[in-house]
Amino acid sequence: MPPTRQDNPRYYPPSLDEPHKLSIAVELKFLMRFLPKDGALHGMHSDLPLEVVDFIDTTRDVKSEEKAALWRYAFTGVADTIKSVSAQQAMTSYDIEDCGMQERDCWESQWVVKKSNSAEPAKHYPHCEEFLWVPVEVNSPKMAWTDPNTFAIMRSVMDAIQSRYNIVSNYTCEVHVHVGRMDGLPFSLVTLKKLAMLLWLAEPVLRKVKDPASPNFGHVYTWSSAAREHSRLAARLKDGKFSRHPCRPCDLGGFDRVLRRHLMKPTAKVSATHEALKLIASTQTHMQLGRLMSGDGRPYRRLGFNFSAFGGEDERARTNPRTVECRFLEGTIDQHIVLGWMQIFGKLVETASWNPSNEARFTQLVLGLLREQNRLPQDDAFARLMKQLGITFEIYYPVLAMISEFSRHKPKASSLKAKRVRRARVYP
């Protein structure tokens, strides 16, 4: 049953978060390789010819002005390549600065090409020191989730960049997906509660896309840690003192009666998962929920599922578009994986969106995840979640294949522990 002003005015959204109102956008991070004027490949095989930079003689002692000129040249080239795709517009960070604009001014219609703060060459990359490396981030404008052209445009842009430039992706390069509303309004609080519940339950399955052997498995290079480990919600669950009191009816406005009955039922034994759902349901404002789903301290303010735009804890969060972000896919620019992952996250948000047509599917999905916690092998759990979301095999198979590959080469627990305790690097 949808909420009313009599239930609590804070639950009354400006309008339903229907699928046609949703937006999706992507951030792609990668490295571009160039050769200096005196460089040579020494017999290395490369799918694309490496471009020679004639104004830099060698990779040693590159002057700051030479580096700046290379970056501007590379960013401009990528932006021009994007503009070669029909009807697409792009600006570099240099263009934005020259025009006195802000990046957020481009959210509506412009792709943005800028420096990636995390991307750097892998330590053991062959002949690493012989290349000139440029760390690149490409941000799409928001696009309509239900527009059939959206993913065709994304594919065309990725094709154009990869066909033109010699680029590399590794564990320092992540793919970030943003979902919000096309009109720029925040999601209703009901939608945010449902999405927080769904992502909390699905996180162990979805984070299987992280390679256990990655040097970034413990988030040394990027900020995208697990909500179940580093959110304030996780911290509140650690003491194990769970309330046996059921949710209040006013906390569950917008949930269907089956799930309301489940969460309002008193029980003598309350699990951590059940308590997490109750704590999410009890939040009263967007800010309260955004902060509950974020962590303490800068490295944990933006977790793998990022609600910081609603928590408003820093200037970036207060001025950025009101989206929920998924930011832990790393080490790939394979368009089948990237586009599949975007559609998976978009479908999760659509399923959680406050919309009467979604209520039954959302409830079935939540109750199913509650029953299946840690009971299925990871491949089976992922495939089952995809089917419950209504995602076709063709879309999710590339992601599933990657998960299966990681599971075959999973390192020993002792080496994983060593990766987790390494101190995280700090980026803005």
Side-chain angles (χ1 to χ4, degrees):
M1 186 173 73
T4 66
R5 292 191 184 275
Q6 286 70 36
D7 287 333
N8 188 324
R10 284 171 293 194
Y11 291 109
Y12 196 79
S15 64
L16 296 176
D17 297 315
E18 297 166 296
H20 69 274
K21 297 177 181 177
L22 301 184
S23 68
I24 192 163
V26 67
E27 300 173 11
L28 304 170
K29 298 173 176 64
F30 52 85
L31 291 151
M32 298 176 70
R33 293 188 302 174
F34 295 89
L35 282 175
K37 187 176 181 180
D38 297 337
L41 277 178
H42 300 300
M44 278 185 58
H45 170 75
S46 179
D47 292 332
L48 285 174
L50 280 170
E51 189 170 345
V52 175
V53 180
D54 58 11
F55 56 84
I56 299 179
D57 291 332
T58 176
T59 59
R60 294 184 299 276
D61 302 320
V62 177
K63 297 177 182 178
S64 59
E65 57 268 27
E66 292 175 334
K67 180 178 177 181
L70 173 60
W71 286 19
R72 182 184 281 267
Y73 171 77
F75 295 175
T76 300
V78 173
D80 288 344
T81 300
I82 293 170
K83 287 188 280 189
S84 71
V85 177
S86 177
Q88 299 308 295
Q89 297 298 315
M91 298 181 75
T92 70
S93 52
Y94 298 104
D95 299 329
I96 292 170
E97 184 178 359
D98 292 344
C99 295
M101 298 168 61
Q102 301 289 329
E103 280 187 42
R104 59 179 174 269
D105 299 327
C106 302
W107 177 243
E108 295 289 334
S109 60
Q110 299 267 359
W111 292 77
V112 173
V113 185
K114 62 178 185 176
K115 173 193 173 186
S116 167
N117 287 326
S118 65
E120 63 181 53
K123 293 178 180 178
H124 304 296
Y125 191 86
H127 306 285
C128 176
E129 70 285 351
E130 298 181 18
F131 299 110
L132 297 167
W133 296 93
V134 180
V136 182
E137 179 175 331
V138 174
N139 296 348
S140 78
K142 66 179 179 182
M143 300 186 188
W145 163 243
T146 56
D147 186 338
N149 293 320
T150 289
F151 290 100
I153 292 170
M154 298 278 189
R155 181 180 293 106
S156 295
V157 167
M158 293 178 68
D159 268 343
I161 295 171
Q162 290 175 287
S163 299
R164 170 65 181 84
Y165 292 103
N166 200 301
I167 61 178
V168 173
S169 178
N170 62 31
Y171 52 81
T172 69
C173 306
E174 289 183 330
V175 174
H176 295 177
V177 184
H178 291 260
V179 179
R181 286 178 55 124
M182 286 299 293
D183 56 15
L185 293 172
F187 289 126
S188 66
L189 184 57
V190 177
T191 290
L192 278 186
K193 287 184 178 185
K194 288 184 171 184
L195 183 56
M197 289 180 179
L198 184 53
L199 297 180
W200 182 268
L201 292 170
E203 185 181 62
V205 175
L206 295 172
R207 285 187 71 90
K208 295 300 181 183
V209 299
K210 293 280 291 179
D211 182 359
S214 167
N216 194 40
F217 191 74
H219 300 287
V220 177
Y221 297 88
T222 60
W223 289 353
S224 49
S225 298
R228 287 198 175 204
E229 296 177 11
H230 295 289
S231 66
R232 293 186 179 95
L233 176 55
R236 291 182 63 175
L237 297 173
K238 282 179 181 176
D239 63 10
K241 297 177 181 178
F242 304 146
S243 168
R244 293 188 177 88
H245 300 294
C247 285
R248 300 174 302 170
C250 64
D251 292 334
L252 295 169
F255 289 74
D256 86 348
R257 61 177 178 269
V258 176
L259 192 54
R260 284 164 66 100
R261 189 163 57 243
H262 179 83
L263 293 174
M264 290 171 60
K265 181 172 60 178
T267 178
K269 184 178 180 181
V270 180
S271 68
T273 302
H274 193 273
E275 181 71 2
L277 300 190
K278 291 200 299 179
L279 288 170
I280 291 169
S282 67
T283 54
Q284 302 296 302
T285 65
H286 288 73
M287 181 179 290
Q288 190 179 2
L289 178 59
R291 295 188 178 187
L292 182 69
M293 299 305 296
S294 303
D296 284 320
R298 290 183 68 223
Y300 303 118
R301 191 168 294 157
R302 291 169 180 83
L303 298 174
F305 292 125
N306 178 19
F307 286 77
S308 69
F310 301 94
E313 296 186 75
D314 56 26
E315 186 64 19
R316 176 177 166 186
R318 288 187 288 271
T319 57
N320 273 2
R322 295 295 178 261
T323 64
V324 177
E325 179 186 20
C326 178
R327 47 189 288 131
F328 53 84
L329 178 66
E330 70 175 46
T332 183
I333 43 175
D334 181 297
Q335 65 171 261
H336 301 291
I337 294 174
V338 171
L339 295 174
W341 187 245
M342 289 180 68
Q343 291 176 82
I344 289 167
F345 186 61
K347 197 66 175 180
L348 283 161
V349 179
E350 179 189 313
T351 301
S353 297
W354 185 51
N355 176 9
S357 64
N358 276 352
E359 288 183 1
R361 169 175 279 184
F362 174 78
T363 297
Q364 291 170 4
L365 190 53
V366 167
L367 295 179
L369 286 168
L370 281 169
R371 286 192 301 268
E372 293 170 4
Q373 291 289 294
N374 303 316
R375 293 180 184 176
L376 291 175
Q378 58 191 30
D379 290 4
D380 293 348
F382 182 84
R384 183 173 177 83
L385 175 60
M386 297 301 102
K387 292 172 184 175
Q388 290 171 327
L389 287 167
I391 297 172
T392 64
F393 180 77
E394 290 74 19
I395 290 173
Y396 76 76
Y397 176 73
V399 181
L400 176 62
M402 183 175 67
I403 293 172
S404 300
E405 183 67 18
F406 292 160
S407 66
R408 281 195 290 271
H409 301 287
K410 188 174 181 179
K412 295 180 180 178
S414 58
S415 64
L416 292 182
K417 184 177 180 181
K419 292 182 190 300
R420 290 192 184 103
V421 299
R422 292 176 63 189
R423 184 175 179 181
R425 296 171 51 180
V426 176
Y427 293 105

